[in-house]
Amino acid sequence: MSYRRALKLICGVAGGSTALVLVAAVAESRGCFGVKTSLWSRFGVLQAAQPTWSTTSPTPVPSGPAWDFNWDKRDPSASTNGKKKEKASEDLTSDQDNGKPKATRNILLIRHSQYNLSGNGDIERILTPLGREQAELTGQRLAALGLKYDTLVHSSMSRATETANIISKHLQGVELVSCDLLREGAPIEPVPSVTHWKPDAVQYHEDGARIEAAFRRYIHRADAKQKEDSYEIIVCHANVIRYFVCRALQFPSEGWLRMGLNNGSITWLTVRPSGRVALRTLGDSGFMPVDKLTRT
């Protein structure tokens, strides 16, 4: 069978670029193009372009670490390790069942609206007129979702506090709580680095510990006593939200700066009782008119 006929036959059956490259490699290895090379050297190119494969499975093999179900240190099955060994196994099982979370936590992370960048210190860095419009739109969006919100926690910085106050007008009866841990900062040195933003090492050291403490306080599975799913709003800052997302999804934390968030956008994390985490939305701002979108 000629190589041209074989090429047509294989491409007609497979319809893919892999078959085309395979036939070309065979032909070249036999010197049909004037240069005779090793067939297997051609497969090096194919292998480099493919995911990691197992010899016993046709599906890609995960390349990263396994999911840590006890990432928030609240897995009831892990908390029984320190119990006395003489306790009956059925009692341990009963304790685990009683201590298992049964509700899902929904955490809606809101980036503050546009603010006055030229302000002298935090007290003057208040929302611009457009920023106040953005906060109104975000509040309207949260109200339109029709969810039963439990709390509205916000950073104590002026721009986040003002944003939260405007949003709260659309969510009657939701408690407002201020928290210093949620203030803006430098969570961890980003990779790859950027040239326009170079905090000192001490800032990463101080801010990183604080922002990590905020993550541990607010991002975790529900308590076993919680019976119904909860919806909590956190109004804070882009750096904090991006770091939270990386930590919650168990992605490398140093990748936080690769994401961009619009002012007033909504990022929605879901934490299941099992410890599974899902990112439902990242920086959703589609509810805003195009001329209201900013990222400052």
Side-chain angles (χ1 to χ4, degrees), residues 183-234:
R183 295 172 71 88
E184 183 63 299
I188 185 175
E189 189 170 358
V191 177
S193 60
V194 292
T195 57
H196 64 279
W197 187 65
K198 291 283 186 180
D200 295 332
V202 67
Q203 185 175 351
Y204 287 121
H205 181 70
E206 294 177 354
D207 290 353
R210 172 178 55 77
I211 296 172
E212 172 63 19
F215 173 82
R216 297 185 186 192
R217 172 177 290 189
Y218 295 110
I219 314 298
H220 54 77
R221 78 191 77 189
D223 188 89
K225 297 178 182 179
Q226 182 176 322
K227 303 303 180 184
E228 298 181 355
D229 294 352
S230 59
Y231 297 86
E232 302 156 55
I233 301 171
I234 298 177

Side-chain angles (χ1 to χ4, degrees), residues 4-262:
R4 182 174 297 177
R5 184 178 177 187
L7 177 61
K8 289 182 178 179
L9 177 61
I10 295 176
C11 289
V13 174
S17 59
T18 302
L20 178 60
V21 175
L22 177 60
V23 174
V26 174
E28 185 175 351
S29 69
R30 296 190 179 182
C32 296
F33 300 143
V35 179
K36 188 173 182 178
T37 59
S38 168
L39 170 62
W40 299 110
S41 67
R42 299 292 152 227
F43 284 103
V45 177
L46 295 178
Q47 291 172 345
Q50 299 298 323
T52 304
W53 299 90
S54 167
T55 55
T56 59
S57 173
T59 57
V61 177
S63 57
W67 179 263
D68 177 13
F69 280 94
N70 197 29
W71 58 274
D72 59 352
K73 308 307 177 188
R74 295 169 183 253
D75 184 352
S77 63
S79 65
T80 59
N81 293 339
K83 291 184 179 292
K84 295 181 178 180
K85 293 183 179 180
E86 60 268 19
K87 188 170 184 178
S89 59
E90 57 267 20
D91 291 339
L92 288 176
T93 302
S94 177
D95 288 344
Q96 289 179 16
D97 290 339
N98 293 333
K100 281 184 177 179
K102 299 174 179 59
T104 294
R105 293 186 69 222
N106 294 274
I107 305 161
L108 288 80
L109 302 161
I110 314 297
R111 189 192 175 194
H112 61 78
S113 302
Q114 186 191 65
Y115 68 102
N116 175 24
L117 286 168
S118 60
N120 184 21
D122 177 60
I123 194 170
E124 294 184 6
R125 292 176 182 172
I126 58 176
L127 300 186
T128 64
L130 174 56
R132 289 191 287 274
E133 287 186 64
Q134 292 170 338
E136 294 283 359
L137 291 167
T138 303
Q140 292 169 14
R141 173 61 172 174
L142 291 170
L145 292 175
L147 303 173
K148 183 182 178 182
Y149 301 108
D150 297 271
T151 57
L152 198 170
V153 184
H154 61 86
S155 158
S156 57
M157 297 188 82
S158 296
R159 55 189 182 270
T161 300
E162 191 175 358
T163 300
N165 286 331
I166 294 174
I167 289 175
S168 69
K169 294 189 303 182
H170 301 273
L171 307 174
Q172 297 298 321
V174 179
E175 181 185 8
L176 271 168
V177 180
S178 178
C179 180
D180 286 334
L181 292 178
L182 294 167
R183 295 172 71 88
E184 183 63 299
I188 185 175
E189 189 170 358
V191 177
S193 60
V194 292
T195 57
H196 64 279
W197 187 65
K198 291 283 186 180
D200 295 332
V202 67
Q203 185 175 351
Y204 287 121
H205 181 70
E206 294 177 354
D207 290 353
R210 172 178 55 77
I211 296 172
E212 172 63 19
F215 173 82
R216 297 185 186 192
R217 172 177 290 189
Y218 295 110
I219 314 298
H220 54 77
R221 78 191 77 189
D223 188 89
K225 297 178 182 179
Q226 182 176 322
K227 303 303 180 184
E228 298 181 355
D229 294 352
S230 59
Y231 297 86
E232 302 156 55
I233 301 171
I234 298 177
V235 179
C236 54
H237 309 269
N239 293 359
V240 177
I241 295 172
R242 294 181 286 192
Y243 178 79
F244 280 10
V245 169
C246 287
R247 284 283 283 109
L249 298 179
Q250 299 185 23
F251 292 165
S253 299
E254 62 271 17
W256 64 272
L257 198 51
R258 303 172 203 171
M259 295 176 278
L261 299 174
N262 288 336

